Amino acid sequence: MADPLIIKICGIKTLDMLDATIAAGADMVGFMHFQRSPRHVTIEEIGSLISAARGRIETCVVLVNPDNSCVAEVAALGPDWIQLHGPESPHRVEAIRAEAGVEIMKALPIGSAEDVAHVADFVDIADRILVDAKPPKGADRPGGLGETFDWSLLKALDPSIAFMLSGGLTPQTVAEAIKTVRPFGVDVSSGVESAPGVKDQRMIEAFIRNARAAV
């Protein structure tokens, strides 16, 4: 039997939506600490969310090119994961992992065969790899920004590399993505929102239901 699919709902901002996401059967929730994001939450808010989630679901704090003081501040809250979503080098990822003492997920934007080739640089350094769509040129923040990428690029990836898939997934596309790409997990943010930063409980439930049915 295959391992169960890991489903991460990212960009949770409120305790109510945290509870709804847990009730819907997600495995992980992500909290975004990056001011340019419509999903940004403060350190104080993240602390409350992590406390409410502890023992119920795995928590992940998403950071973009954080400095050491930000890493220390977040690590002190006791999340299960820190997700690095900026242009961090393998050396920097290694340093953050050592300093934080928290498992590290590294998001890697995929837009070309060259991007796929770089994934291997992080495999032994990060605890988990998340492949995401490359942001459009001139975007003011990283991430897929609701766009998918050409999944066929991932055929060039070493099959021994396990990864989670992100980038433009929705309740309508997640089943096809899982069947095509065969990731061990999926991550969604804008694809389960009614407006930027506003999660929709019914969309979260549909996303999880459709993802589970595809495995």
Side-chain angles (χ1 to χ4, degrees):
M1 182 177 151
D3 291 329
L5 183 80
I6 292 171
I7 299 176
K8 174 168 167 271
I9 308 292
C10 203
I12 298 293
K13 290 164 65 174
T14 66
L15 291 167
D16 283 353
M17 202 46 74
L18 173 68
D19 289 341
T21 301
I22 293 170
D27 302 291
M28 298 179 78
V29 283
F31 310 122
M32 189 86 201
H33 187 61
F34 181 59
Q35 283 184 321
R36 291 208 296 272
S37 170
R39 299 162 195 92
H40 172 71
V41 273
T42 65
I43 289 290
E44 291 71 26
E45 289 167 328
I46 291 171
S48 302
L49 288 160
I50 287 175
S51 295
R54 192 164 281 123
R56 300 165 68 205
I57 193 168
E58 285 198 6
T59 55
C60 177
V61 179
V62 181
L63 303 175
V64 179
N65 230 12
D67 60 24
N68 289 349
S69 63
C70 176
V71 170
E73 209 173 14
V74 168
L77 302 174
D80 295 298
W81 295 83
I82 288 176
Q83 178 177 321
L84 297 174
H85 216 107
E88 302 89 3
S89 67
H91 180 73
R92 181 68 182 134
V93 173
E94 205 164 22
I96 290 172
R97 186 189 192 189
E99 187 197 341
V102 174
E103 289 195 286
I104 299 292
M105 187 183 312
K106 177 69 182 105
L108 296 167
I110 303 293
S112 67
E114 192 184 0
D115 297 328
V116 174
H118 284 312
V119 172
D121 300 343
F122 291 91
V123 169
D124 296 329
I125 290 160
D127 298 283
R128 187 171 286 177
I129 298 287
L130 172 72
V131 295
D132 194 4
K134 204 165 198 169
K137 275 196 169 32
D140 68 344
R141 55 188 203 273
L145 310 186
E147 298 297 316
T148 53
F149 63 97
D150 178 0
W151 296 329
S152 70
L153 287 167
L154 296 172
K155 291 193 177 108
L157 200 59
D158 179 336
S160 69
I161 296 175
F163 60 88
M164 288 182 71
L165 178 68
S166 184
L169 299 178
T170 67
Q172 290 73 39
T173 63
V174 67
E176 184 200 350
I178 290 165
K179 290 183 170 125
T180 306
V181 180
R182 300 278 171 203
F184 75 81
V186 287
D187 179 11
V188 67
S189 188
S190 61
V192 288
E193 290 179 349
S194 54
V198 182
K199 291 287 180 278
D200 182 301
Q201 182 177 345
R202 281 192 298 274
M203 289 170 81
I204 290 174
E205 288 164 355
F207 183 90
I208 293 172
R209 191 167 57 243
N210 294 348
R212 296 268 182 240
V215 179

